[in-house]
Amino acid sequence: MVMTKPSIDQVWEWLDAVPDPEIPVISLVDLGVIRSVAWLNDVLEVTVTPTYSGCPATRIINLDIETALNDHGIKQVTLKRQLSPAWTTDWLSEEGKAKLEDYGIAPPQTAGGPTQCPRCKSAQVEKISQFGSTPCKAQWRCTDCLEPFDYFKCI
Amino acid sequence: MGDNSLVLGHRVSEWCGVAPVLEEDIALANTALDLIGQTQLWLGLAAECEDKGRDADALAFRRDVWDFRNLLLVEQPNRDFGHTMMRQFLFDAWHSLVLAALKSSDDSEIAAIAEKSLKEVTYHLERSSDTVIALGDGTEESHMRMQAGLDRLWPYVGEMFLTDEHDLIDVAALRPAFAAITNNVLGTATLAIPTDNFTHKGGKTGARHTEHLGHMIATMQFLPRAYPDAKW
């Protein structure tokens, strides 16, 4: 049986349906961790960059990529780790940032802090801690509605 | 670099679940996680260069005290929270400068690890500086504890700037930049930098670690040593 190789565009579409394991509202493509996809003969090579070097989700992300592609009939997948250029929140898609905000996580801002509370949209916010529930987030609080919220750190 | 991040990463992880407040607990655990992640990169590269069939885990869990090449500063016990944060600040200041220099290394793998790590360490330094200032310029009690931490740890600072034949960069040349950071932060924290520049040495060369490292490693290595085939 001859397997027809799915196009690279098709593969990107499939990968865009794989959710981030910690923040399932955005996809791995939205997150910007998938740097390239290429066929090397019959093997599909996916280049992935970690968000934070110790992020425990990295292993799950790799597993989810392999599983998704296997489910679409691609049996030979190799994952290549790429450290440089280092992942930056600039690679988060605009769609991804909007989805984060809707989900209650303030998207990264170059100014270094959230512009508004993702719940009540007030600009009266203050930092609680540089670190949050995952390496990529910090804890902030709205001084109007008093709700604490996650802020996706800008790196 | 890998032994520094491993030993400090393990030390900081000892706070997990017992830090003074939840936010600090989370921050310390995240810092430890970053450092252990960096360890996997550095020791992974070291194992690859060594080419003797060992991997990062083998280097972390199957070496004895005298084979470790970490700075004496990072193996010092946590003691109180203030002491832990002072150790973190002194290390972060040094670490950020070393990584910035290694980022321009001719070796592309070293440069890539340094580039990745520096982003994380920039956050570490920001947080430890803020905490040292808040506690140093805080209450009488917190000021006293931060000064005690600085006095106890200062004799381990000099070792960070001893360049030897294995160094890829001249670490001694980074001392003025380090002094600029520490003078600024410790000054704002109203803390007095000790004037005696005596320095303990022997961690980086492996010649004379403090007794604390062996105890730490015994805990850290117990599981993979006792159950060599354990998988998780």
Side-chain angles (χ1 to χ4, degrees):
Chain A
M1 195 186 99
V2 181
M3 188 191 87
T4 41
K5 282 195 269 186
S7 72
I8 293 298
D9 284 350
Q10 176 66 69
V11 173
W12 275 107
E13 210 172 290
W14 287 335
L15 291 172
D16 198 24
V18 183
D20 174 90
E22 284 287 346
I23 313 165
V25 71
I26 58 169
S27 80
L28 296 181
V29 173
D30 286 329
L31 188 63
V33 291
I34 300 176
R35 302 313 301 157
S36 66
V37 178
W39 283 105
L40 303 175
N41 298 317
D42 289 332
V43 181
L44 186 73
E45 186 183 75
V46 182
T47 306
V48 185
T49 192
T51 51
Y52 284 77
S53 56
C55 184
T58 306
R59 199 179 287 189
I60 311 297
I61 286 175
N62 289 346
L63 188 68
D64 288 351
I65 292 172
E66 272 193 286
T67 310
L69 296 175
N70 288 346
D71 288 349
H72 284 291
I74 305 175
K75 297 301 174 201
Q76 288 182 284
V77 178
T78 60
L79 295 174
K80 197 170 119 189
R81 183 185 73 191
Q82 180 182 298
L83 290 179
S84 179
W87 180 78
T88 158
T89 34
D90 295 346
W91 294 344
L92 265 172
S93 69
E94 287 308 315
E95 202 190 330
K97 288 180 195 169
K99 286 188 215 163
L100 281 178
E101 173 108 24
D102 281 348
Y103 189 59
I105 300 173
Q109 305 290 343
T110 38
T115 49
Q116 59 179 26
C117 165
R119 296 170 205 278
C120 76
K121 312 299 176 197
S122 161
Q124 305 305 311
V125 291
E126 64 181 16
K127 183 166 73 183
I128 301 175
S129 172
Q130 192 75 273
F131 293 88
S133 56
T134 63
C136 57
K137 287 178 277 175
Q139 294 177 75
W140 284 64
R141 163 168 52 210
C142 175
T143 54
D144 270 339
C145 74
L146 304 179
E147 280 292 324
F149 63 89
D150 277 330
Y151 164 63
F152 207 101
K153 285 189 286 204
C154 193
I155 69 165
Chain B
M1 293 304 288
D3 282 351
N4 282 332
S5 52
L6 173 62
V7 173
L8 186 60
H10 188 83
R11 274 285 182 236
V12 176
S13 80
E14 291 170 356
W15 275 105
C16 191
V18 294
V21 291
L22 183 60
E23 286 78 9
E24 294 306 331
D25 200 294
I26 291 171
L28 287 163
N30 267 296
T31 305
L33 193 62
D34 284 342
L35 290 168
I36 298 299
Q38 293 166 18
T39 304
Q40 287 175 326
L41 300 176
W42 287 123
L43 293 188
L45 178 60
E48 209 179 290
C49 294
E50 184 192 49
D51 199 20
K52 285 184 187 164
R54 298 200 285 183
D55 59 8
D57 275 357
L59 290 177
F61 296 122
R62 306 279 175 91
R63 279 182 304 151
D64 288 314
V65 172
W66 49 84
D67 294 323
F68 276 73
R69 292 292 178 272
N70 59 278
L71 297 162
L72 295 174
L73 176 75
V74 297
E75 68 195 47
Q76 298 312 302
N78 289 340
R79 303 184 193 278
D80 63 18
F81 178 73
H83 187 275
T84 292
M85 291 313 296
M86 181 59 76
R87 184 187 62 200
Q88 192 67 37
F89 166 67
L90 295 171
F91 181 75
D92 291 343
W94 174 86
H95 201 195
S96 64
L97 296 169
V98 169
L99 291 172
L102 286 175
K103 219 176 116 175
S104 329
S105 170
D106 294 334
D107 184 309
S108 62
E109 290 189 75
I110 289 173
I113 298 174
E115 179 191 344
K116 183 79 204 155
S117 306
L118 183 57
K119 286 196 165 198
E120 297 161 0
V121 170
T122 303
Y123 263 102
H124 299 175
L125 179 60
E126 207 177 304
R127 171 173 175 271
S128 59
S129 301
D130 285 353
T131 312
V132 164
I133 291 170
L135 294 177
D137 189 19
T139 64
E140 202 179 317
E141 171 79 11
S142 72
H143 174 86
M144 184 270 289
R145 286 181 183 239
M146 294 314 282
Q147 186 64 55
L150 179 59
D151 292 345
R152 185 185 274 276
L153 293 169
W154 194 255
Y156 298 99
V157 166
E159 189 193 21
M160 303 199 279
F161 301 98
L162 299 175
T163 308
D164 66 30
E165 74 276 15
H166 301 298
D167 279 307
L168 297 173
I169 52 167
D170 181 8
V171 282
L174 301 174
R175 186 90 201 230
F178 177 84
I181 299 173
T182 47
N183 289 344
N184 175 32
V185 171
L186 297 174
T188 312
T190 70
L191 298 170
I193 297 176
T195 48
D196 185 350
N197 273 325
F198 165 79
T199 192
H200 293 289
K201 49 194 163 203
K204 182 176 168 178
T205 62
R208 197 183 302 116
H209 280 286
T210 58
E211 64 172 300
H212 308 296
L213 184 63
H215 293 279
M216 192 205 92
I217 283 179
T219 306
M220 184 181 83
Q221 295 183 337
F222 164 75
L223 192 113
R225 292 255 197 192
Y227 304 94
D229 300 319
K231 293 264 180 281
W232 60 86

